[in-house]
Amino acid sequence: MDLLKRKIETEGRVLSNQVLKVDTFLNHQIDPELMVEIGKEFAQRFKDDKITKVLTIESSGIAPGLMAALELHVPVVFARKRKSLTMVNDLLTASVHSFTKNETNEISVSQKFIEPTDNVLIIDDFLANGQAALGLAEIVEKSGANTAGIGIVIEKSFQDGGQLLRNKGFKVESLAQIASLENGKATFLDEAEVVL
Amino acid sequence: MDLLKRKIETEGRVLSNQVLKVDTFLNHQIDPELMVEIGKEFAQRFKDDKITKVLTIESSGIAPGLMAALELHVPVVFARKRKSLTMVNDLLTASVHSFTKNETNEISVSQKFIEPTDNVLIIDDFLANGQAALGLAEIVEKSGANTAGIGIVIEKSFQDGGQLLRNKGFKVESLAQIASLENGKATFLDEAEVVL
């Protein structure tokens, strides 16, 4: 998705070989028009997958998840990272380790929002080690529903999450795939391949 | 906003005289089309207030905040409730007590995303005691910017937050104002007034 790649090039900040900061448009400040285009792109890539529900995770997955759901004309559900006092019964849960935050969270979704007949599209902002997506897929499996696909805004292809998910047979669509963050620069997978 | 009130009547669950659960369309599962209408309504109510930025708070403020920002053609920023490892410098912070969750969080926004010239619209899903909105307004004040208004999806008018904010001179626009949750039923302020 060229619009997104150009945004990453102009506004993303490479903090290390591992960390790309995109807080000007994706996960702290959000560019609403870009999110609309991201939603349209996800809808296009999963248009034949009979999606009945989008599942994402708070907080940074909500904006792209909501826009994908809007375009697909289905509801979106976001998993919570901590239980709230008013959400205690019939929870589907999974453990997710975040390497960025160096902590393990129990993520949870009310069982009533994912039905066994659902065809679920999982959406998240980043894919690195794949732990969040795997946790969401685990929740879908526990509900008896089907994970029809996984849509990622930015995949760090030099980490193993993408391969892990694809090896498990999931259809993974990433709107920008980053081959490397070396030398303070984001290099995209398709553009790196052209050079090779 | 009638569409919202009817949604509350048909899908909201009154758990006690204090607690209204709207997790089927607002703060766990989200109805994207309803959010579009909520965004349009906020944009209409603040169209003359020269808004340059929407400020909300994770996680449940993100969907209505994003849609309001989309309609107003401005960016949206969401305050975080915990610091992330990659967001450490130049933070604007405020302490916010949540009565629902019975905990105090430090909320924070990167200083660079609210400039002194900004005219900020604060958006949140619920207004009860007003603590979250006050914390967001405190952050805006610390940045040197102006709080042009506060937009709330559901105001529990029987709690004191709305009065508190209006007494401080803020323009507060709530799309549904609930006068009472007694007898297991949500009664709206304007409809309660008609009865009186």
Side-chain angles (χ1 to χ4, degrees):
Chain A
M1 186 182 174
D2 280 344
L3 181 65
L4 174 64
K5 288 185 198 168
R6 299 298 85 80
K7 194 87 171 176
I8 292 169
E9 286 176 338
T10 53
E11 296 190 19
R13 284 181 301 140
V14 178
L15 299 190
S16 73
N17 285 356
Q18 305 289 319
V19 179
L20 171 69
K21 206 162 161 78
V22 288
D23 61 354
T24 64
F25 61 90
L26 183 57
N27 52 22
H28 187 22
Q29 181 168 258
I30 302 170
D31 178 337
E33 270 96 10
L34 178 65
M35 287 305 129
V36 169
E37 296 306 317
I38 283 173
K40 286 179 181 170
E41 181 75 21
F42 280 133
Q44 173 62 26
R45 295 193 187 199
F46 293 98
K47 68 177 169 12
D48 297 325
D49 295 291
K50 300 183 173 63
I51 306 300
T52 61
K53 191 149 290 191
V54 170
L55 176 63
T56 186
I57 183 166
E58 65 179 355
S59 291
S60 304
I62 294 175
L66 175 64
M67 291 308 192
L70 180 67
E71 292 294 328
L72 289 164
H73 306 289
V74 299
V76 53
V77 178
F78 65 89
R80 291 193 175 272
K81 287 176 180 164
R82 293 181 299 173
K83 295 178 199 176
S84 81
L85 291 185
T86 57
M87 189 175 87
V88 289
N89 297 320
D90 302 319
L91 289 181
L92 300 166
T93 63
S95 286
V96 171
H97 184 74
S98 163
F99 290 89
T100 314
K101 296 187 177 176
N102 192 24
E103 63 185 22
T104 299
N105 287 297
E106 186 177 59
I107 67 170
S108 58
V109 174
S110 288
Q111 187 156 22
K112 64 180 174 181
F113 292 132
I114 308 187
E115 308 204 47
T117 52
D118 272 325
N119 226 9
V120 180
L121 171 60
I122 291 171
I123 296 281
D124 206 2
D125 60 335
F126 266 97
L127 172 60
N129 301 95
Q131 299 306 298
L134 280 173
L136 292 170
E138 185 183 333
I139 283 176
V140 173
E141 191 179 349
K142 283 179 177 174
S143 76
N146 174 51
T147 295
I150 299 174
I152 300 293
V153 181
I154 302 176
E155 176 179 345
K156 295 197 277 189
S157 301
F158 56 89
Q159 292 186 251
D160 61 1
Q163 201 56 51
L164 188 68
L165 295 174
R166 291 179 182 99
N167 286 348
K168 284 178 176 286
F170 291 114
K171 173 180 174 179
V172 181
E173 290 284 342
S174 301
L175 306 191
Q177 290 182 292
I178 293 176
S180 152
L181 291 173
E182 284 173 26
N183 304 315
K185 183 176 176 301
T187 307
F188 297 103
L189 194 61
D190 43 1
E191 295 168 10
E193 279 168 346
V194 170
V195 174
L196 295 173
Chain B
M1 185 181 175
D2 279 345
L3 181 66
L4 174 63
K5 289 185 199 169
R6 298 298 84 81
K7 195 86 170 175
I8 292 169
E9 286 176 340
T10 53
E11 296 191 18
R13 283 182 301 139
V14 177
L15 298 190
S16 72
N17 285 357
Q18 305 289 318
V19 179
L20 171 70
K21 208 163 161 79
V22 288
D23 61 353
T24 63
F25 61 90
L26 183 58
N27 51 23
H28 186 23
Q29 180 168 260
I30 302 170
D31 178 338
E33 270 96 12
L34 178 64
M35 288 305 130
V36 169
E37 296 305 317
I38 283 172
K40 286 181 182 171
E41 181 75 20
F42 280 134
Q44 173 63 26
R45 294 194 188 198
F46 292 98
K47 68 178 169 13
D48 298 324
D49 295 290
K50 299 182 174 63
I51 306 299
T52 61
K53 191 150 287 191
V54 170
L55 176 64
T56 187
I57 182 165
E58 64 180 357
S59 290
S60 304
I62 294 175
L66 175 64
M67 291 308 191
L70 180 66
E71 292 294 328
L72 289 163
H73 306 290
V74 299
V76 53
V77 179
F78 65 88
R80 290 194 175 273
K81 289 177 180 165
R82 293 180 300 172
K83 295 178 201 176
S84 82
L85 291 184
T86 58
M87 188 175 87
V88 288
N89 296 320
D90 302 320
L91 288 181
L92 300 166
T93 64
S95 285
V96 171
H97 184 74
S98 163
F99 290 90
T100 314
K101 294 186 177 176
N102 193 25
E103 63 186 20
T104 299
N105 287 295
E106 186 178 56
I107 66 170
S108 58
V109 174
S110 288
Q111 186 155 23
K112 65 179 173 181
F113 293 132
I114 308 188
E115 309 206 44
T117 52
D118 271 326
N119 227 8
V120 179
L121 172 60
I122 291 170
I123 297 281
D124 206 2
D125 60 334
F126 265 98
L127 173 60
N129 302 96
Q131 300 306 298
L134 281 173
L136 292 169
E138 184 183 332
I139 282 176
V140 173
E141 192 179 348
K142 283 179 177 174
S143 76
N146 174 52
T147 294
I150 299 173
I152 300 293
V153 181
I154 300 175
E155 176 179 346
K156 295 197 276 189
S157 301
F158 57 89
Q159 292 184 251
D160 60 1
Q163 200 56 51
L164 188 67
L165 295 173
R166 291 179 181 100
N167 285 348
K168 283 179 176 287
F170 291 115
K171 173 180 174 177
V172 181
E173 291 283 342
S174 301
L175 306 190
Q177 291 182 291
I178 292 175
S180 151
L181 291 173
E182 285 172 25
N183 304 316
K185 183 176 177 299
T187 307
F188 297 103
L189 193 61
D190 44 0
E191 294 169 11
E193 280 168 344
V194 169
V195 174
L196 296 172

